[in-house]
């Protein structure tokens, strides 16, 4: 549970970095907030040692990722190839 909590916190902080914000639209901000809310739910569940809620939070986080990536593709945003650099 400690690892779940730490990693959820790390992902939440990562989502606040400037490189995360590939476009600035109201929908993208909404998508990012939904992602962070899922991570917060996971962290809270981990603190309570509640495996069922932590699992649901993980599933919700994954759905938020997929939804946002679909949104970005619909706007023509390409992934950045960081390995080339």
């Amino acid at each position: 549970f400690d690892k779940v909590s730490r990693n959820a916190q790390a992902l939440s902080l990562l989502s606040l970095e400037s490189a995360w914000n590939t476009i600035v639209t109201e929908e993208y901000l909404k998508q990012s907030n939904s992602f962070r809310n899922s991570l917060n739910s996971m962290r809270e569940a981990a603190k309570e040692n509640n495996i069922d809620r932590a699992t649901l939070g993980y599933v919700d986080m994954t759905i938020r990722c997929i939804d946002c990536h679909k949104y970005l593709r619909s706007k023509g945003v390409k992934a950045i190839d960081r390995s080339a650099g």
Side-chain angles (χ1 to χ4, degrees):
F1 288 108
D2 288 339
K3 196 172 191 177
V4 169
S5 183
R6 280 193 318 271
N7 287 322
Q9 177 67 23
L11 278 172
S12 187
L13 291 173
L14 179 67
S15 75
L16 296 171
E17 292 186 9
S18 61
W20 182 277
N21 296 300
T22 57
I23 63 173
V24 180
T25 65
E26 187 174 327
E27 179 62 23
Y28 184 73
L29 295 174
K30 181 179 159 187
Q31 296 275 352
S32 291
N33 283 331
S34 292
F35 177 74
R36 281 189 291 277
N37 288 338
S38 295
L39 292 166
N40 287 335
S41 293
M42 265 176 45
R43 276 196 357 253
E44 289 172 13
K47 288 179 185 177
E48 297 168 2
N49 293 340
N50 186 324
I51 191 71
D52 294 327
R53 277 190 53 228
T55 301
L56 288 173
Y58 179 79
V59 170
D60 189 54
M61 177 205 64
T62 304
I63 291 167
R64 300 301 131 230
C65 288
I66 292 165
D67 286 347
C68 189
H69 282 249
K70 288 188 328 190
Y71 171 73
L72 290 173
R73 279 194 305 275
S74 77
K75 295 298 180 190
V77 176
K78 304 258 191 250
I80 297 170
D81 183 3
R82 298 188 192 278
S83 65

